[in-house]
Amino acid sequence: MKQRFRVGGMSCAACSAHVEKSVSAVPGVSGVQVNLLAGSMAVEYDENACDAQTIIKAVESGGYTAAVDDGRQTSAPAQSPQADEALKEMKTRIIVSAIFMLVLMYFSMGEMVGLPLPSYAAGMDGMFNLALTELLLTLPIVIINRKYYINGFKTLLHRAPTMDALIAVGSGAALVYGIYALIQIALAPTPEAAHSFMHDLYFESAGMILTLVTLGKFFEARAKRKTGEAIAALMDLRPQTAEVIRGGQTMQLPIEQVQVGDLVIVRGGQSVPVDGEITEGSAYLDESAITGESMPVEKHVGDTVIGATVSKSGYVVMKALRVGDDTTLSQIIRLVEEAGASKAPIAKLADKVAGVFVPVVMGIALVTAIIWLLAGETPSFALTRAISVLVISCPCALGLATPVAIMVGTGVGAKNGVLFQSAEALENLHNVNAVIMDKTGTVTEGRPVVTDVKSFGVESADLLSLALSLESRSDHPLADAIVRYAREKNAQERSVTDFEMIEGQGIRATVDGVPCFAGNRRMLLANGLALSGSMQKLGDEFAAAGKTPLFFAANRQIVGIFAVADVLKPTSKAAVEALRSMHIDVTLLTGDNQKTAQSIASELGVTDVIAEVLPQDKERIVREKQGKSRKVAMIGDGINDAPALARADVGIAIGAGTDVAISSADVVLMKSDLMDAVDAIRLSRRTMRNIRQNLFWAFFYNCIGIPIAAGLLWVPFGIKLSPMIGAAAMSLSSVCVVSNALRLRFFSATPRKTAGTPAVLPASDEKPLTAHKKEENVMEKTIKVEGMMCQHCVAHVKKALEGAAAGCNVAVDLDAGKAVVSGKTLPEDAVLTAAVTEAGYKVVDIK
């Protein structure tokens, strides 16, 4: 069984590591994933060996709180009311701490900058009063930030020290040593003896550590809020009420009370409350929030509708089929949350380090103090170095390096219609160097459409009218394509009698009293109708191009030919070019015959084609590719290609629609758009680069900061790091890691072709979208690039474009912020955009 829990009290990576360790030790628990960022935990356990209460007790034994997640969360963790309250409370602590800290700094350091002290605290006679004033000003800061001491010493008692323990021990040691110095000043026999202890007052260090750490936590919490924006946006799509018909009465009900089978009314301007099927009326629905399709979709009786889509116009009554957690929106939210809560393999190193980090740091601090004492330094100097080591160490930066980037990356993916099932899928995708894609429904539309129409001796309108009249009575998929095409052209339907379907041939009927035929060549031959030479040639050309020719005859004369085919999607060719520009090999896999497969492959520009493959053989082909040391991504429909998707290093289900929750793939693409697979790989690469940056700086910061805090530079250069600076640096490191991860929010999907671009054009009509230099027969594209700062940036952009546009000239102008690519043939805009984006820059426009 898999159960989710909410965990409270975690403040750093060491916390999450200890919670995970405690729960893993429970008999019957087979897997634990703790998410520090979301305050959640997912546990897989055997119900016969333990239960949820046993797991909760294990968490509580480590000093934390836990409760079963009931799934009723209405907002993302970082945007929850509890998070808002915690942020407000933290802000209050900062204001109070800052006020007392400013006064404290005036008393402790005012004389150093020439500020006069009050008479009662000035001079040799006022030393005790000054020291006591500093203590009294420090105590409010300590009291209002007491949670560090409560949590820190609690984890020490449980032998599971965390970052709070470092802060508690560091600031506590400074406070206790200051009180010791205060007592010595009070008991000193002479003013001179008392004055020697004035340098041992560390009240301002204790207060400053607490103030700066709280300030850093505040900025970190504010930054974390942005990581859950994608989930929050999805949750905001949920309507709160629904208009339901029960017992003949119409009533407004909370969305939670809608049941399967209820009849729900949706009016223009309202959101669809649940998933269902239209039983009455029609409407135009905006499905962009779920599928990413920008144009409203017309829905009629019998069509399915998705919850959280918006009715732009119309009136429908729908039957509720999926409610509550079963709706498509709930499934998407759950997928995004689970992916954000899961751990990528790269996170294991950080987790291992975080699990032992705090005890090791405390050991280093103790050894530091001992070494300086043995070296002959004063106890004050040794204590200062030890405190600096404690407060500069930052397990938070290590712990946040991976989960923050994963949460932002998966959230951005969801916003763009790309759902990662886990953090592991997000990581694995960046290593892919070979893509195998199914043909039908992946690179093609998945349904036949009319590509060509040729009439013989009749007007086009008359041919379309004849075709609509005959085919509207057929249930064949090819007939459906002709009917759609004819109705788009506003063809008029005629009177039809004596309708008859002939298996394997076509249709025979009487239209307006005239005997007519529609079908393949066998139909013509069976009825004694002969094709002329030009008709025969045209039919052969269509067949050679992978199209199915359908012939129409009236009064025993052939009057027209329709060519029907499963055509390429508008973005498929650009997507393949983009994949190849990313140095990824592309293979087309299909069960169709070799001729049709080769025709589609030629249009795509794919040279590796495997045709006439049975579903059970697709898995073998994936395995063979992997045997050649390739990291393979399989792109398919998620159902028929399930074995191949499961075998691939990363399985990508394209066009999975409302079945996202049961998909067998690692990545689910909500739109039927191959370019989303390109964006998924780009996002994976960007996220992994961000994680590596975070981990590098987190390790680098601690590896450099701890030795300097311990006094490494004191002997050769006389440089020492005060605890106050250490606390500021520690806070800044966490904020920097979170801020770096938030840069992923600016990831943008590859620009698509305009909506009016035809799905398939004849070769002679496929004009590149460029400005022609007719006198030189050279084309040119000007790319507006954002983010270039220096000549190194210029070099990166130029190299990226030269790789994407082989054989073309590339010129980059830093001052103008643009690049010009020229040549006789140029790649698609999407390919150039992907290359520049992959280099780390943003394409604003291409002309």
Side-chain angles (χ1 to χ4, degrees):
M1 174 179 181
K2 188 172 184 178
Q3 180 73 57
R4 287 175 61 85
F5 297 83
R6 296 190 305 274
V7 181
M10 297 189 296
S11 61
C12 69
C15 295
S16 58
H18 289 308
V19 170
E20 193 165 309
K21 185 177 179 181
S22 299
V23 176
S24 297
V26 175
V29 172
S30 56
V32 185
Q33 286 190 336
V34 180
N35 188 303
L36 169 66
L37 203 60
S40 65
M41 174 177 68
V43 183
E44 289 187 33
Y45 62 93
D46 182 357
E47 293 179 271
N48 298 321
C50 67
D51 57 18
Q53 288 304 313
T54 306
I55 293 169
I56 290 172
K57 287 179 181 178
V59 175
E60 292 173 344
S61 69
Y64 306 92
T65 62
V68 174
D69 190 343
D70 56 12
R72 295 180 182 176
Q73 184 172 291
T74 57
S75 61
Q79 281 83 14
S80 65
Q82 294 87 344
D84 289 338
E85 190 62 34
L87 206 61
K88 184 178 179 181
E89 183 262 346
M90 211 178 296
K91 190 174 183 179
T92 302
R93 283 164 47 202
I94 291 170
I95 293 172
V96 174
S97 299
I99 292 171
F100 281 96
M101 194 66 230
L102 287 173
V103 182
L104 176 58
M105 293 298 288
Y106 168 74
F107 277 95
S108 63
M109 298 184 178
E111 282 189 315
M112 298 181 187
V113 294
L115 296 176
L117 290 175
S119 58
Y120 79 91
M124 299 290 280
D125 295 333
M127 286 186 294
F128 176 76
N129 292 335
L130 177 61
L132 183 61
T133 300
E134 290 184 19
L135 173 61
L136 293 176
L137 288 169
T138 305
L139 288 177
I141 301 174
V142 171
I143 292 170
I144 200 168
N145 293 293
R146 61 189 178 278
K147 65 177 294 181
Y148 294 119
Y149 296 98
I150 295 171
N151 294 338
F153 288 118
K154 185 191 292 184
T155 58
L156 277 174
L157 289 174
H158 286 94
R159 296 193 300 274
T162 63
M163 192 193 77
D164 285 349
L166 295 179
I167 297 168
V169 173
S171 62
L175 182 65
V176 170
Y177 195 74
I179 293 173
Y180 166 77
L182 174 64
I183 295 171
Q184 293 300 316
I185 292 171
L187 299 177
T190 64
E192 289 75 15
H195 188 266
S196 65
F197 285 99
M198 288 298 292
H199 297 290
D200 295 335
L201 294 175
Y202 285 104
F203 295 127
E204 78 281 358
S205 292
M208 187 64 81
I209 288 169
L210 294 172
T211 302
L212 289 174
V213 168
T214 304
L215 183 64
K217 287 280 187 183
F218 175 75
F219 286 127
E220 182 183 316
R222 283 187 60 183
K224 282 180 182 178
R225 285 178 63 83
K226 299 182 185 296
T227 65
E229 283 182 352
I231 297 177
L234 289 171
M235 288 180 171
D236 288 343
L237 294 173
R238 289 171 168 166
Q240 300 303 307
T241 61
E243 189 175 357
V244 179
I245 302 174
R246 284 186 184 171
Q249 299 293 319
T250 301
M251 60 190 76
Q252 287 285 342
L253 294 178
I255 192 71
E256 295 82 7
Q257 295 182 19
V258 178
Q259 300 175 2
V260 174
D262 276 343
L263 293 178
V264 181
I265 297 173
V266 181
R267 307 175 191 275
Q270 294 181 342
S271 293
V272 177
V274 296
D275 295 0
E277 180 180 308
I278 295 177
T279 59
E280 178 186 335
S282 63
Y284 280 92
L285 296 185
D286 179 0
E287 299 182 337
S288 58
I290 303 296
T291 65
E293 295 295 338
S294 57
M295 295 297 292
V297 180
E298 187 175 6
K299 296 286 186 176
H300 301 280
V301 173
D303 290 339
T304 57
V305 291
I306 305 171
T309 56
V310 179
S311 174
K312 289 297 185 181
S313 64
Y315 171 93
V316 297
V317 177
M318 55 173 282
K319 181 180 180 181
L321 299 179
R322 294 179 181 175
V323 300
D325 290 341
D326 293 331
T327 63
T328 300
L329 179 63
S330 295
Q331 293 170 8
I332 293 173
I333 292 171
R334 187 160 60 247
L335 278 176
V336 176
E337 286 180 333
E338 288 178 356
S342 62
K343 289 185 179 178
I346 196 172
K348 292 177 182 177
L349 174 61
D351 285 348
K352 288 180 181 178
V353 173
V356 298
F357 186 86
V358 177
V360 168
V361 167
M362 297 183 82
I364 293 173
L366 180 62
V367 171
T368 296
I370 293 171
I371 289 175
W372 284 118
L373 287 172
L374 293 175
E377 293 291 348
T378 64
S380 173
F381 181 91
L383 180 63
T384 305
R385 302 282 64 74
I387 292 173
S388 296
V389 169
L390 290 173
V391 298
I392 201 171
S393 307
C394 188
C396 274
L398 282 172
L400 292 171
T402 299
V404 176
I406 292 293
M407 182 167 281
V408 177
T410 53
V412 168
K415 183 179 177 182
N416 288 281
V418 178
L419 301 180
F420 293 95
Q421 301 272 28
S422 65
E424 186 174 2
L426 183 61
E427 176 175 344
N428 289 342
L429 194 56
H430 90 285
N431 284 321
V432 164
N433 53 22
V435 167
I436 298 175
M437 56 182 68
D438 183 44
K439 180 183 77 70
T440 305
T442 302
V443 299
T444 66
E445 293 286 358
R447 64 174 186 174
V449 297
V450 174
T451 59
D452 304 88
V453 178
K454 180 67 174 176
S455 60
F456 301 102
V458 297
E459 295 292 330
S460 296
D462 292 334
L463 174 61
L464 291 175
S465 176
L466 173 64
L468 175 61
S469 303
L470 290 171
E471 300 293 358
S472 63
R473 288 158 176 77
S474 171
D475 58 1
H476 195 279
L478 298 183
D480 182 55
I482 293 174
V483 169
R484 285 198 314 271
Y485 180 84
R487 284 179 174 159
E488 286 172 4
K489 301 296 183 180
N490 300 314
Q492 299 299 311
E493 196 166 351
R494 304 181 201 171
S495 172
V496 177
T497 58
D498 303 326
F499 180 85
E500 182 185 1
M501 288 192 65
I502 302 172
E503 189 69 29
Q505 295 183 15
I507 298 167
R508 180 166 53 202
T510 301
V511 180
D512 287 344
V514 177
C516 299
F517 300 91
N520 55 28
R521 293 185 188 185
R522 286 197 298 273
M523 165 67 81
L524 302 179
L525 294 173
N527 289 277
L529 298 174
L531 286 170
S532 67
S534 59
M535 294 178 186
Q536 179 87 30
K537 181 180 180 182
L538 187 59
D540 291 341
E541 288 175 355
F542 287 150
K547 304 174 183 179
T548 301
L550 295 174
F551 301 89
F552 287 79
N555 203 19
R556 305 198 62 80
Q557 296 293 321
I558 297 174
V559 295
I561 304 177
F562 281 69
V564 181
D566 183 10
V567 298
L568 286 180
K569 294 175 183 176
T571 58
S572 292
K573 184 175 181 180
V576 169
E577 290 182 0
L579 289 170
R580 293 176 68 178
S581 73
M582 296 163 70
H583 307 292
I584 296 174
D585 296 335
V586 179
T587 300
L588 184 66
L589 195 64
T590 179
D592 275 351
N593 61 71
Q594 187 68 41
K595 184 183 290 185
T596 301
Q598 197 61 55
S599 173
I600 292 291
S602 298
E603 290 184 66
L604 283 173
V606 175
T607 56
D608 188 8
V609 185
I610 304 176
E612 300 176 16
V613 178
L614 297 175
Q616 57 267 32
D617 292 332
K618 292 182 179 180
E619 184 270 344
R620 173 183 54 79
I621 291 167
V622 171
R623 193 163 10 100
E624 289 174 356
K625 287 279 185 183
Q626 291 172 324
K628 298 176 182 176
S629 302
R630 312 298 285 174
K631 291 290 183 182
V632 179
M634 173 68 193
I635 308 177
D637 62 13
I639 300 170
N640 297 331
D641 301 315
L645 289 168
R647 166 61 64 180
D649 295 285
V650 181
I652 302 175
I654 188 167
T658 58
D659 294 321
V660 293
I662 58 172
S663 172
S664 58
D666 303 302
V667 181
V668 180
L669 308 181
M670 288 301 294
K671 295 174 287 183
S672 238
D673 191 337
L674 192 60
M675 191 60 79
D676 284 341
V678 175
D679 287 337
I681 297 173
R682 286 179 52 231
L683 180 58
S684 173
R685 290 183 177 182
R686 183 81 63 84
T687 303
M688 293 311 301
R689 185 162 65 238
N690 191 283
I691 289 174
R692 291 193 188 99
Q693 290 169 353
N694 286 346
L695 286 174
F696 170 79
W697 287 113
F699 278 112
F700 180 80
Y701 163 81
N702 283 294
C703 290
I704 297 297
I706 291 175
I708 293 176
L712 182 67
L713 303 180
W714 173 246
V715 175
F717 304 111
I719 298 174
K720 60 182 179 180
L721 195 70
S722 76
M724 290 181 288
I725 296 176
M730 184 273 287
S731 298
L732 186 62
S733 66
S734 294
V735 174
C736 287
V737 164
V738 175
S739 299
N740 184 50
L742 288 176
R743 291 191 305 115
L744 288 169
R745 294 189 307 142
F746 301 111
F747 175 88
S748 57
T750 306
R752 269 54 167 175
K753 291 181 179 181
T754 58
T757 304
V760 171
L761 294 174
S764 59
D765 292 339
E766 292 182 347
K767 305 292 185 184
L769 303 176
T770 57
H772 289 255
K773 292 185 176 180
K774 293 182 179 179
E775 67 277 11
E776 299 177 11
N777 197 28
V778 171
M779 295 178 292
E780 183 178 280
K781 288 188 180 185
T782 301
I783 308 166
K784 191 72 175 175
V785 181
E786 191 176 277
M788 294 191 296
M789 304 293 290
C790 62
Q791 290 303 321
H792 290 293
C793 298
V794 170
H796 290 317
V797 172
K798 185 174 182 180
K799 183 178 179 181
L801 289 172
E802 286 175 342
C808 296
N809 293 321
V810 178
V812 183
D813 188 334
L814 175 62
D815 295 330
K818 68 178 184 179
V820 178
V821 181
S822 57
K824 292 186 177 181
T825 57
L826 297 179
E828 296 279 350
D829 290 358
V831 177
L832 298 174
T833 300
V836 174
T837 306
E838 192 67 27
Y841 303 90
K842 183 178 180 181
V843 173
V844 178
D845 188 30
I846 299 182
K847 295 181 180 178

